[in-house]
Every structure is written in C-alpha cells, then in structure tokens.
Amino acid sequence: MRTPDSTTVRNLGILAHVDAGKTTVTERILYLTGATHKRGEVHDGTTVTDFDPQERDRGITISAAAVSCDWAGHRLQLIDTPGHVDFSDEVERALRVLDGAVAVFDAVAGVEPQSETVWRQADRHGVPRIAFVNKLDRAGADFDAAVESIRTRLGVVPLPVQVPIGREDGFTGVVDLVRMRAYVWAGGAGTYTEQEVPEELRDEARRRRRALEEAVAELHPGALEEFCADSALSEGTLRSALRDLTLGGGAVVVLGGSAYRDRGVEPLLDAVVAYLPAPRDMPPVRGTVPADPAAPFTALVFKVHATATGRMTYLRVYAGTIGKGDTVLDTTTGRTERIARVLRVQADRATEVAEARAGVIVAVVGPKAARAGATLCDPAAPVVLEPPTTAAPVVSVAVEARRSADTGRLATALARLTEEDPSLVVRTDPETGQTVLSGMGELHLEVAVEKVRRDRGVEVSVGRPQVAYRETVEKGVTGLLYRHVKQDGGAGQFAHVVIDVEPAGSGEEFAFVSTVTGGRVPQEYVRAVEAGCRDALAEGPLGGHPVTGVRVTLTDGATHPKDSSEMAFRTAGRFALREALRACGMTLLEPVADVTVTVPAEFVGAVLGDLAARRGRVTDQANRAGTAVVTATVPLAELFGYASRLRGRTQGRGTFTTRPAGYEALRG
C-alpha cells in the first residue's frame, strides 16, 4: 500500500443528527472510491461502518467507525460518528483527532437538535467543515430552507455552491456554481454526466453565482480586491477564497444531493479534497508538534476496542513515523509499550501495513494499558497532548448478575466496557452495596448492558438505583438514663450513663461532648461511650437508615469498682442512644442534587413544570441570548429518567448537569 504524505491526506468525520443519512453518505463514498464493491444499506443491515449487531438491529450508529479510501490522488480517512445524543462523547473523541468534517443535514428538517450539538463540539475543537444537504429527493425537501436554517440556527455564513436540478422526486442533479456546469445522474452511483447548465436554470444559476461572489468578496480581502477591479471573480479566485474561508471558519460551503439515490456524492468528494485541510494545513498541536514524518513520533489514542483476537488501540499520528517492533512511551502511565502490528482499519476489518506516518489514523496492536486520551510518543522525546474531554454521566442504573457464579465475570465485563468507553462509569455504592453503571443516557446504558449480555454471555438484571436515605433528630430528649448490668459468673459488666440528645449544628453530622464532673465517669469510659454512640448511628428508628445531624451530651454516669469496663460503657452508649432516638422526634432525609438545565427560551415553561412535578425547588433562572438557564434543587430519587423526559419536552435541545447538594428533609 502506498504510504500517503501529509499533503494528500484528508482526516474527516461525518457529523449529523440521527437519521440525517451520515452512514449512507459514508457507504456511498466507499462504493464510489472502490473501497467496497457493493453498496451497503442501513435498512438491510449491510453497511460497512455499522458492523456491530446492535447497530444493525437498531439502525443507528453507536460507535465511531474508521474507514479509508482514495479519491483523486488523495487518501480520505473517514470516521462515521454517532448521531444520537446519548453517544455525543464518542463524537467528542473523534473530533479531537480530525482535521475536517462533513456536516450532513436533512433537506426536510434542516438543522436538527443533535446537528446543533455536534456543530458546537466541532467549534470547540476548531474543526473546519463543509455542509451537505441530504435527501433532496424526499417529499417536502427544500434546499434553500435548509441553508437558511444553517444560517439562523448555527449562526454561521452558509455559501451554497450548488443549485438543485428538480425538486423532491424529480431531483436529478445539481448545477456547480463555481464551474457553472451541471451534473446530472441518470442511473446509479458513478453514472453522472457533466453538461451545460439547463436553459431553464441559466438565469437562476447566474443570479446565484453573482450572490456567491458578492458574499465571498465581503468575507475575503483577496477576493474583494479582484471583485472591485473586475466586478466578478474568476473560478480560481473563487475556489481559493472558499478554501481559505473554510479553513479559517469564516463561512461554510454548502452542497446538496441524495446519498440514498447516489446523487451528489462525487461533487462532495471533490469538495472534500478542494476545501478541507490536509494535516499540514492545521496548526501544530499545542504549538509544539508539527505534522512532520521526520520529527519524533507523537500520537494520541482516541479509541480502544477489544476484539476476539486482541486489543486494538486507535490513534492519530501527529508527528514522526511508527512501525512494527517500535517501542513507545505512554506518558499518561509512564510505561513503555511495544508495537506488535500497525493496521489500516476498514471498520471491523484491518490490513497490516509496514508503517504509519504523520497525519494518518491507524490502529496498533501491542499496547496493553493505553486508554483513550493517552499520548504515545518517542521515549527520547516525551510529550503530553491534550486529551479529549469526557462529560460527566447523567443517568445511572443498578446492575447485578442473575447468577451469583457470574458476579466475577460481570465485574470483568464492566471493566472492559469502561476501558472502551470512558463516558461509562462503574462504581459500588458503599451504603447500598449495589453496582451502579452510569452513562450519558438511557439508550447508552441499554446498549452497554446488551453488550455485556451478547459479547460476554453474562445475564444481567437491571434496576433502579436505590437512594441512600438518612434520618435526623428534629426534636431531642434530655436526661435519658440507661443502666447496663450483666452478671453471668465471673467478672460482670456495669455501666450507668445519662445523655441528652438534640439536633446538631448546621453542617455537623455528629457531635459528642461530656459535662460529667467529679470523675464520676473516667475519661477512658467517656471515649467508650462516644464509640458506642457512633455504633448506634448506623441504624435509625424510622427505617434502619444511617442517622446524621445529632449532638449527644453525656451529663452523668456511675461506675462499679470491679465490673465497669470500656466494653460495658461502649455497650451502654450504644443502647442509650438507640433508646433516646426512639424517644426523639425524627425526620427522614433524602439526597438532593443541584440541577442546571439549559434550554432554548421557548421551552422554559415546560421545563419549570416538569421540575415542579419532580418536587424540584427552582433557585435561579437567567436568560442568555435566547437560551434559558434554570437552576433547581431536586430530590435524587426524582431524577431517574429525567434525561429522556427533558429531551422529549425540548425536542432534544435541552441539556442538564447535576452535582450532589447534600440532604434535605423528605418533602411530600
């Protein structure tokens, strides 16, 4: 295989809302470039990139899949990313290693909620994009409306470089406004013909070409100079200006087509080569790592996948060259790893290659401990690259093996899951003893649990996580006397204590003081009483929940010269506090969380109503440029299922974050 240099490589992602046609676009690209010999279809479960059984069953992309192909003398390395909001962290990791992207939009729906999300993610990473308005053959498709939604919803300047020929079912091709030529598809993929602009579209094409030139001249100084001199832009100047604007983020080139009907994909590939950056066009990573194959090796791990034949580590090579047998340093762990094989990946298939140079995306076999976000580099030139960010999980479920014999296998399977997907978190609740799996959404967790069942053969029960309640004293008691006497032969046990119990001060979980005078209870026995009281806090009288917010005062006591001991006073302290708590006025506490919800202003009413229904107490509300930010304190027990409800009430455009906020009295 010819090793491409960093000027003829395009590392790009395919981004979109779920069902906008990302995977179909990717499949048509692979077919047109000769990387595959049969067109894969999502509805038939025959796609290359959606190779996981769950992806084919559900008809959605779950994990980012890397593929590569060649077009016009360039190596295109594509990552087909998920479009569902639950898997946005997978998109985040992919964008961290990409140089450019194709954003796919539905010609009927325009910019959809997840389209906004992935666009903002690409903004954060500074990834240049071009737009492809897909499904122009659908009923209700409107190219101009989709372009306008890009302008209004994403806040960018769209530069349409094509005009559709025909509408809806009559869509047959596009007019290229840069070359002023028409592309018409009479059959399947690769059967288009280039011809003169149809007579009925010539005036429209000239008008739109003029509008394109004016828009580019406003944004590009070089184009403005030529436009002022000649009142027009040449094809070369227009093409060069469009590339500069794309790389600089000043505007977005927009094309159209219907990937399912094989129309418009070839011009899209030409636009990828013409407008999206090569690795050398991008600034050095963190200003220190140029895309130079002769520099010291530097790469970033963005994905780990455990297969039946071993562990594959996906990485983007930023500098230098890596080959079989090389030793690299994982600067995250400080350990060295040996590269056993270098692989060119085609979704679930891989071909071994001799080496990988700066600018390419490959998988390697050999590293045993590298995780997503790790930097692999030349041991003689250590460097740490900024890892992709990982969002905090928002949804949790309790999981356990149905058979006790599978408990160990379940733990191993969950550890493997979190290694492959850092946005999954597994923890054991120290109070309930439950194993809790947390992720980005209910579908995310459903897919993870199903993977444990299918891939590891472990039957798993999934339930609602238990909420750890607390009990506290609302009204105390004074002068409670407890006498512990035990005589059953030999040395007996004697302890006499008098205690007061009251609510503790703000922020105090437990306080113990002694006001005993005259040495009636020696100091070592006072410490034993305190230890006994702490023992009694493990279970409260209301429901056996831990007790908090209690202040105990030892006011009096008595000892026996022979039968008193630390054990006797510890026992007395434990039973005295238990009896006192039964006599106190007790209140049940529940854990609460501070929830910050960010939604478009038009949905704030629905959000407030839902928070009220969940016993939430709104503490703050602000509006920022058409976006409402609502902060509320909500019982943790009421947040189960909130992610799905919020998306449903806000057309998928609402997001939220939570953080523990302690305990509050249980509200009805």
Side-chain angles (χ1 to χ4, degrees):
M1 183 193 73
R2 178 182 60 83
T3 302
D5 61 50
S6 58
T7 61
T8 59
V9 169
R10 298 291 185 272
N11 293 312
L12 66 142
I14 310 295
L15 313 174
H17 185 90
V18 65
D19 283 339
K22 290 183 298 33
T23 301
T24 302
V25 169
T26 305
E27 292 296 321
R28 294 305 185 265
I29 289 175
L30 293 176
Y31 179 70
L32 282 168
T33 57
T36 59
H37 302 291
K38 183 179 180 182
R39 290 172 292 178
E41 304 292 356
V42 173
H43 55 272
D44 292 335
T46 57
T47 57
V48 172
T49 53
D50 286 352
F51 55 85
D52 185 273
Q54 286 201 73
E55 292 179 313
R56 293 183 170 179
D57 290 348
R58 299 173 187 270
I60 61 171
T61 301
I62 292 172
S63 61
V67 293
S68 60
C69 56
D70 295 311
W71 180 260
H74 290 70
R75 169 67 46 78
L76 308 184
Q77 299 184 136
L78 290 81
I79 297 183
D80 180 23
T81 64
H84 196 283
V85 66
D86 279 17
F87 307 103
S88 57
D89 227 51
E90 187 86 3
V91 181
E92 185 78 16
R93 291 191 291 276
L95 283 170
R96 175 63 183 80
V97 298
L98 293 173
D99 297 325
V102 175
V104 180
F105 301 96
D106 188 314
V108 177
V111 175
E112 297 174 271
Q114 186 62 6
S115 307
E116 289 186 64
T117 302
V118 296
W119 192 272
R120 304 305 176 207
Q121 287 177 290
D123 280 342
R124 288 200 305 274
H125 289 280
V127 175
R129 281 142 282 171
I130 60 176
F132 182 69
V133 178
N134 193 27
K135 302 186 178 183
L136 283 173
D137 60 315
R138 282 186 60 194
D142 190 328
F143 181 76
D144 292 334
V147 171
E148 186 58 28
S149 73
I150 292 173
R151 184 191 312 277
T152 57
R153 295 282 290 274
L154 301 181
V156 297
V157 179
L159 298 175
V161 296
Q162 293 178 343
V163 180
I165 299 175
R167 292 178 59 87
E168 300 179 349
D169 195 49
F171 170 69
T172 58
V174 294
V175 174
D176 181 353
L177 297 178
V178 177
R179 298 185 61 215
M180 291 303 286
R181 299 286 292 173
Y183 300 101
V184 178
W185 284 262
T191 61
Y192 75 98
T193 57
E194 180 183 329
Q195 52 192 251
E196 295 288 337
V197 177
E199 185 175 350
E200 65 274 14
L201 282 176
R202 285 177 187 169
D203 289 343
E204 175 76 4
R206 291 192 191 100
R207 183 182 65 80
R208 291 189 180 236
R209 166 63 184 249
R210 181 69 177 180
L212 175 62
E213 291 177 352
E214 292 174 351
V216 169
E218 286 182 9
L219 299 169
H220 192 278
L224 176 61
E225 186 176 339
E226 181 175 316
F227 188 80
C228 291
D230 302 335
S231 297
L233 294 180
S234 66
E235 178 184 330
T237 299
L238 182 57
R239 191 181 299 276
S240 177
L242 288 171
R243 178 177 172 79
D244 291 343
L245 291 171
T246 299
L247 299 187
V252 177
V253 170
V254 184
L255 303 94
S258 169
Y260 179 68
R261 294 179 68 175
D262 307 299
R263 295 171 185 175
V265 181
E266 293 93 339
L268 174 63
L269 286 168
D270 291 336
V272 165
V273 170
Y275 304 128
L276 289 182
R280 285 196 174 182
D281 296 324
M282 303 301 289
V285 182
R286 307 296 288 174
T288 59
V289 183
D292 182 358
F297 171 72
T298 306
L300 182 72
V301 177
F302 69 93
K303 183 180 177 69
V304 174
H305 181 53
T307 68
T309 56
R311 188 177 190 270
M312 292 176 63
T313 303
Y314 291 72
L315 48 87
R316 159 72 185 269
V317 182
Y318 280 101
T321 303
I322 187 71
K324 178 179 179 180
D326 288 354
T327 298
V328 298
L329 172 67
D330 181 346
T331 52
T332 309
T333 62
R335 63 181 289 172
T336 56
E337 304 269 17
R338 184 177 179 276
I339 304 299
R341 289 191 295 159
V342 181
L343 305 172
R344 179 188 178 190
V345 180
Q346 201 75 346
D348 59 338
R349 301 187 302 275
T351 305
E352 187 167 352
V353 296
E355 62 179 20
R357 295 183 180 180
V360 304
I361 292 173
V362 292
V364 296
V365 176
K368 295 180 174 59
R371 304 288 295 269
T375 301
L376 301 183
C377 62
D378 186 335
V383 65
V384 178
L385 300 179
E386 182 181 359
T389 58
T390 300
V394 297
V395 179
S396 301
V397 294
V399 294
E400 65 176 350
R402 289 186 180 174
R403 299 184 304 170
S404 58
D406 286 340
T407 301
R409 293 176 61 204
L410 174 61
T412 302
L414 292 176
R416 185 70 59 82
L417 270 181
T418 57
E419 183 180 5
E420 294 185 358
D421 186 352
S423 59
L424 289 171
V425 175
V426 177
R427 63 181 176 87
T428 300
D429 191 303
E431 297 186 15
T432 65
Q434 288 181 307
T435 298
V436 179
L437 178 65
S438 304
M440 304 307 298
E442 292 176 11
L443 178 60
H444 188 204
L445 296 181
E446 184 182 322
V447 167
V449 170
E450 185 62 23
K451 185 171 288 190
V452 171
R453 289 175 176 150
R454 287 190 181 188
D455 298 352
R456 313 299 175 198
V458 180
E459 285 301 316
V460 180
S461 296
V462 179
R464 187 175 185 146
Q466 296 177 13
V467 172
Y469 291 97
R470 295 283 190 274
E471 299 177 26
T472 193
V473 173
E474 190 173 40
K475 183 180 180 182
V477 296
T478 58
L480 187 135
L481 183 151
Y482 187 85
R483 184 187 297 265
H484 175 64
V485 180
K486 186 175 183 182
Q487 190 72 45
D488 54 2
Q493 295 184 26
F494 179 89
H496 175 183
V497 297
V498 180
I499 60 173
D500 295 344
V501 178
E502 59 186 329
S506 177
E508 280 188 315
E509 293 187 1
F510 174 69
F512 181 89
V513 295
S514 173
T515 60
V516 178
T517 59
R520 293 176 60 81
V521 180
Q523 190 60 39
E524 63 269 23
Y525 294 167
V526 171
R527 288 194 295 269
V529 174
E530 180 180 356
C533 289
R534 290 185 182 276
D535 294 341
L537 297 176
E539 294 183 4
L542 296 181
H545 307 292
V547 179
T548 188
V550 178
R551 183 182 181 88
V552 178
T553 304
L554 178 63
T555 60
D556 200 2
T559 62
H560 187 277
K562 291 185 179 180
D563 294 342
S564 290
S565 64
E566 290 186 23
M567 180 182 295
F569 272 89
R570 181 165 184 162
T571 302
R574 181 169 68 252
F575 285 106
L577 184 53
R578 284 184 180 176
E579 190 172 308
L581 292 175
R582 286 195 290 269
C584 289
M586 300 293 291
T587 298
L588 196 63
L589 301 177
E590 62 179 341
V592 295
D594 285 337
V595 181
T596 302
V597 187
T598 304
V599 294
E602 63 263 32
F603 299 113
V604 70
V607 168
L608 292 174
D610 187 51
L611 288 173
R614 294 173 184 271
R615 299 188 287 126
R617 186 180 71 255
V618 175
T619 57
D620 190 32
Q621 183 175 342
N623 290 306
R624 303 170 188 165
T627 299
V629 180
V630 179
T631 303
T633 302
V634 184
L636 196 60
E638 300 291 347
L639 287 176
F640 189 81
Y642 184 62
S644 296
R645 177 64 66 87
L646 178 65
R647 290 166 190 162
R649 286 178 176 266
T650 62
Q651 299 178 7
R653 298 168 66 190
T655 61
F656 76 102
T657 59
T658 65
R659 62 181 179 87
Y663 284 80
E664 290 185 358
L666 182 66
R667 302 193 297 269

